[in-house]
Amino acid sequence: MSRPIDSAASDPATDPPAADERETPFLSLDLLTGAQAAPAAPDPGARSIVLVGLMGAGKTTIGRRLAARLGMPFVDADVEIERAAGCSIADLFRRYGEAEFRKGEHRVIRRILDGGPLILATGGGAFMDPATRAVIRDRGVSVWLRCPLPVLVRRVQGRTHRPLLNGGNPRDILAALIDIRHPIYAEADITVDCGEESVEQSAAAVITALTPGKPPHIVPVRLDRWQYDVTIGTDLLRHAGRLLAPVLPQRRVVIVTDETVAALHLPRLLEGLTGGLTGDLAGDPAESPIRTDVIVIGAGEASKTLAEYERVTNRLLELGVERGTTVIALGGGVVGDLAGFAAATTLRGLPFVQIPTTLLSQVDSSVGGKTGINTPFGKNLLGAFHQPIAVLADTATLSSLPVRELRAGYAEIVKAGLIGDAALFEWCEANGQAVLAGDAGAQAEAIRLACLFKARVVGDDEREEKKSNGRALLNLGHTFGHALEAELGYDGRLLHGEAVSIGLGLAFMTSVRMGFCHQTDLDRLMAHLQRLGMPTRIADLNASFSADRLIAHMQHDKKMRDGRLSFVLARGIGQAFTCRDVSRDTIHDILLMEGCGD
């Protein structure tokens, strides 16, 4: 993903010098002795805090304030480089070119970080170098100071000492640098958004993020034509304005939520949006408040109907939304699917933010851009791919969930391990009980691991267009599960995650029956699910089912190709694959074996 900075903007100052201008290569300068390591901080067990980000983000000013508050030394890498080289950064770029400069920069940063814990402000391009990133990761905690483009432009105006700004319009150059560098900056351990806040406020935000157990996890989702971050942490609703400020096209949002979630979490989100956003964003007047409207729907799968979709879209139009108005889905998968579909189709597409409040939606439906509603013919048969601009997974919302809801979400985490990450399934075996018991750290890690897995799959096959494997693998257990949900009429007796849990067992039973995997894999899966109180058999549902009717529901599934069912099966734990050679008789026999009637 990384490429030379001068690919973003032509800059004569970075061009290699002519032959008669060449001097001793930058690497031969005595940087290792010239750049002195800083004295150790008072706490020998502390790690260095390394600030990364674009020019104008405030790394030096915020870094100095951090150092004063934490009682740690402060070092500016650019200052050390200039002191060691005896000339300015601009001169080094002009004389030796960027490639040689980055090598020398790496040596300086490595030397500084070898000297003990400190606050280090790095140049904007330092973190782009893989070797430098590795040194920072090994010796410190990286903090990306993410700043909106309009603020960056205002801050760098008139700065002639920046080599990359001397070759054109600063706004255009910075916009191009954002496209190139932000995906790499997203690899930092912590992301802190800094806009119009004071230096003191920004320093406080960094300290809060660095508090043990508190820093949010950032999972970047990178697609061919779109990208966004999944932010995972506690109490994110109260900071929603600050977290969403860099991506909102305008300071207006419409929140779609359900009756249950509105009572539990809407006040905190409104506080976070209206009280946490200040400054200039996308051309809006400075200090203007964020405008919020709310649409409340009924709780449960029964709201994913054409009639409710019509009501929500009519209300959006009645509110006079514009193409920059963002729809925020606050709730579980039902709210996300319905609000996302409304956002995808209103004015041919509105910006969309997912704030999932259930474990199921945090690990699955909020990531990947699938939206839709149900029909009498099946689940999610009307819908669209519409990627969000951000996802905020606030783990604090999980404390209000009954254990049944947690188990339903946990099924999707297990599914991810079964598909293609055997290590994740092993993690589930070791930590699943803690997740269901409400351990906040275990829940956050489970969400992070599941989102990382799904981001990789979606990034490789965003619209499920591959004829085999690809994103279709995420449907492991779903063909069976959706059929059970449809037969029960989506009436709440069976949660989606519960249906998936049963479907996982049925998919592995089918795999064993067809000779693709060993009975020991099925036994291991069933033992894990049963140990955690998860539903595993159709008989667990205390309802009568017809094998023929369930198969009829499967034949209305979106995954039908040329009139043939497509199942996701497995060759073992973490070895799922798509298969279109499953006979109707095989499925019928398995359903009869599970206690269904004809």
Side-chain angles (χ1 to χ4, degrees), residues 236-505:
L236 300 185
L237 295 183
R238 292 192 188 276
H239 303 285
R242 177 175 59 82
L243 292 168
L244 296 177
V247 297
L248 290 178
Q250 66 176 201
R251 295 188 179 189
R252 185 182 178 196
V253 301
V254 179
I255 302 167
V256 179
T257 188
D258 69 35
E259 297 163 340
T260 302
V261 175
L264 291 170
H265 305 303
L266 182 59
R268 275 191 301 150
L269 176 59
L270 290 173
E271 176 190 347
L273 289 171
T274 58
L277 190 58
T278 61
D280 184 23
L281 179 63
D284 285 349
E287 305 299 334
S288 64
I290 187 168
R291 176 181 169 187
T292 60
D293 291 289
V294 179
I295 300 174
V296 179
I297 66 172
E301 196 78 21
S303 288
K304 282 178 57 174
T305 63
L306 193 58
E308 192 67 356
Y309 162 77
E310 181 181 23
R311 187 181 75 84
V312 171
T313 52
N314 282 346
R315 182 57 179 152
L316 287 171
L317 296 172
E318 184 181 31
L319 289 170
V321 296
E322 302 172 358
R323 288 196 169 174
T325 305
T326 297
V327 174
I328 295 180
L330 174 68
V334 169
V335 172
D337 284 352
L338 175 60
F341 188 36
T345 50
T346 302
L347 302 184
R348 295 195 175 97
L350 299 176
F352 175 47
V353 168
Q354 287 267 24
I355 304 184
T357 59
T358 65
L359 184 60
L360 178 64
S361 56
Q362 288 182 359
V363 302
D364 184 57
S365 60
S366 64
V367 180
K370 280 189 175 181
T371 70
I373 58 176
N374 302 331
T375 77
F377 299 98
K379 188 178 177 74
N380 295 327
L381 294 184
L382 292 179
F385 286 96
H386 190 55
Q387 297 291 346
I389 59 176
V391 178
L392 304 183
D394 188 342
T395 56
T397 64
L398 303 182
S399 63
S400 64
L401 297 179
V403 69
R404 183 187 178 196
E405 290 277 1
L406 291 176
R407 288 192 180 111
Y410 183 74
E412 292 285 355
I413 303 171
V414 172
K415 180 198 75 175
L418 295 173
I419 290 170
D421 192 341
L424 173 54
F425 184 76
E426 291 176 4
W427 186 93
C428 288
E429 290 178 309
N431 299 278
Q433 190 60 59
V435 173
L436 298 184
D439 184 303
Q443 289 175 340
E445 180 64 5
I447 297 165
R448 186 184 74 86
L449 292 171
C451 288
L452 277 171
F453 175 79
K454 187 164 186 181
R456 289 196 299 269
V457 174
V458 173
D460 183 58
D461 184 21
E462 178 184 357
R463 294 179 174 266
E464 203 168 313
E465 294 171 329
K466 289 189 174 182
K467 293 184 178 180
S468 63
N469 299 327
R471 185 168 181 167
L473 294 176
L474 296 174
N475 293 307
L476 178 66
H478 282 58
T479 301
F480 290 104
H482 284 170
L484 293 169
E485 289 182 273
E487 181 63 12
L488 291 177
Y490 312 111
D491 61 3
R493 283 181 288 170
L494 179 65
L495 301 178
H496 173 68
E498 293 172 331
V500 169
S501 180
I502 295 171
L504 293 175

Side-chain angles (χ1 to χ4, degrees), residues 527-596:
H528 176 61
L529 294 177
Q530 290 167 358
R531 186 164 58 250
L532 298 183
M534 307 279 288
T536 57
R537 314 298 291 259
I538 293 178
D540 294 340
L541 301 181
N542 195 27
S544 298
F545 293 92
S546 159
D548 288 338
R549 284 184 59 82
L550 290 177
I551 292 173
H553 286 301
M554 294 178 194
Q555 290 170 336
H556 285 109
D557 194 275
K558 300 183 299 297
K559 296 175 286 298
M560 287 282 291
R561 287 177 182 259
D562 301 322
R564 300 168 64 188
L565 279 172
S566 178
F567 283 85
V568 181
L569 302 180
R571 294 188 174 90
I573 303 294
Q575 301 177 60
F577 67 101
T578 53
C579 180
R580 298 177 62 201
D581 296 323
V582 184
S583 71
R584 185 186 188 281
D585 289 344
T586 297
I587 300 302
H588 189 269
D589 289 347
I590 288 173
L591 292 174
L592 291 180
M593 185 175 62
E594 281 292 288
C596 294

